[in-house]
Amino acid sequence: MSTDTNTLAQAFQSLHKPNHPLILTNIYDALSAKTIAAIPSSPALATASHAIAEAAGINDDDLTLPANLRATRIIADAIKPSRKPLTVDLQDGYGAHLENAIGELLSLGNVVGINLEDFNRDTNDFFPVSEAADRVRRVLAVARERGVPNFVVNARCDLLAHGGTIEEVIERGKAYLDAGATTVFVWGGSARGGLKREEVVRLVEAFEGRLSVLLKLKDGLSYGPALQGVAMARIREVAVGVYGT
């Protein structure tokens, strides 16, 4: 299984090419996953913890590792016929459970990447740069041990959303890339309106193209959990047509 999984990981990793943006739409359950997987031009699938939590009837901050893994197992099983890679939003890695979580994900066979935050939810503060970078190394070490050396880590940096500077983000991002991350996801935060164009340009240059960002949709929405909101709005629209207002 590890050989097949790493072949899938290599395919996913190869999609990350500077100057050739990889676009992923986030899924959150078996139905949304199968729907996106069935689109021929969809290269891979990615979960969003916020949407998974919403589907479970809880807030993103209350999503536990068991709940996240339970949803991921259902999604991974649903899309196996598509033979497409799956990357999982693992939030902050759930503390001491990080290695176990990676092992559980790898056992599913088609999970070949994660999104890993640098904000510690237990302490409500950022991991020190060295510790955050070491957590990337820990993930990749488990993946190598399980025969998946091409496992993809999208290291998320939330510093700008908490009042940090672009210089601090660049320092952190470079440390994560040096630790083996494939890309750095920089979240600008809704309060500040996300990332500014000039910030994106600077980050692309600093990370040599290995940057991950949210892509804005119309009406100020962005990819992430947005597809779930669009789906629910459409369901409501159809239901109103059945029941009336």
Side-chain angles (χ1 to χ4, degrees):
M1 181 178 291
S2 61
T3 300
D4 292 341
T5 302
N6 196 58
T7 298
L8 203 59
Q10 288 176 320
F12 184 47
Q13 195 172 63
S14 71
L15 294 172
H16 295 76
K17 300 176 182 178
N19 302 316
H20 295 83
L22 168 63
I23 299 177
L24 299 173
T25 53
N26 291 126
I27 43 87
Y28 51 91
D29 62 7
L31 189 57
S32 63
K34 288 192 290 185
T35 299
I36 300 301
I39 300 173
S41 57
S42 167
L45 292 97
T47 70
S49 65
H50 180 92
I52 283 179
E54 285 288 321
I58 58 179
N59 293 323
D60 191 17
D61 289 341
D62 296 325
L63 183 66
T64 63
L65 175 58
N68 199 348
L69 289 175
R70 183 164 55 248
T72 300
R73 290 188 191 100
I74 293 171
I75 290 168
D77 186 59
I79 66 170
K80 277 183 180 176
S82 74
R83 303 185 66 83
K84 290 185 176 181
L86 174 63
T87 182
V88 171
D89 185 349
L90 199 61
Q91 297 185 304
D92 67 351
Y94 306 99
H97 302 289
L98 179 60
E99 280 84 358
N100 289 337
I102 299 303
E104 290 283 349
L105 292 176
L106 287 169
S107 71
L108 299 177
N110 54 353
V111 175
V112 292
I114 62 165
N115 200 55
L116 185 65
E117 300 173 6
D118 61 357
F119 188 80
N120 188 335
R121 293 168 183 247
D122 289 336
T123 64
N124 199 36
D125 198 2
F126 286 90
F127 290 102
V129 178
S130 59
E131 184 177 353
D134 187 59
R135 292 167 73 247
V136 173
R137 295 188 187 92
R138 287 165 55 191
V139 169
L140 295 174
V142 173
R144 284 193 299 272
E145 290 170 3
R146 298 289 292 265
V148 190
N150 292 95
F151 194 78
V152 172
V153 175
N154 183 34
R156 172 170 163 168
C157 182
D158 286 1
L159 209 62
L160 284 179
H162 291 261
T165 67
I166 193 75
E167 289 77 18
E168 291 173 310
V169 170
I170 290 173
E171 178 190 0
R172 280 181 170 266
K174 286 184 174 180
Y176 305 160
L177 292 171
D178 288 344
T182 299
T183 50
V184 176
F185 170 37
V186 179
W187 184 50
S190 55
R192 67 191 298 274
L195 291 176
K196 300 178 178 62
R197 180 181 177 83
E198 57 269 23
E199 291 173 331
V200 172
V201 170
R202 186 170 177 189
L203 290 168
V204 167
E205 292 175 349
F207 300 155
E208 298 179 338
R210 295 171 291 175
L211 175 69
S212 178
V213 295
L214 289 176
L215 178 62
K216 289 290 183 70
L217 292 169
K218 64 180 182 179
D219 301 325
L221 294 175
S222 65
Y223 285 113
L227 284 187
Q228 184 183 57
V230 172
M232 295 306 104
R234 179 57 179 156
I235 288 175
R236 185 182 187 281
E237 181 182 342
V238 173
V240 167
V242 173
Y243 296 113
T245 57

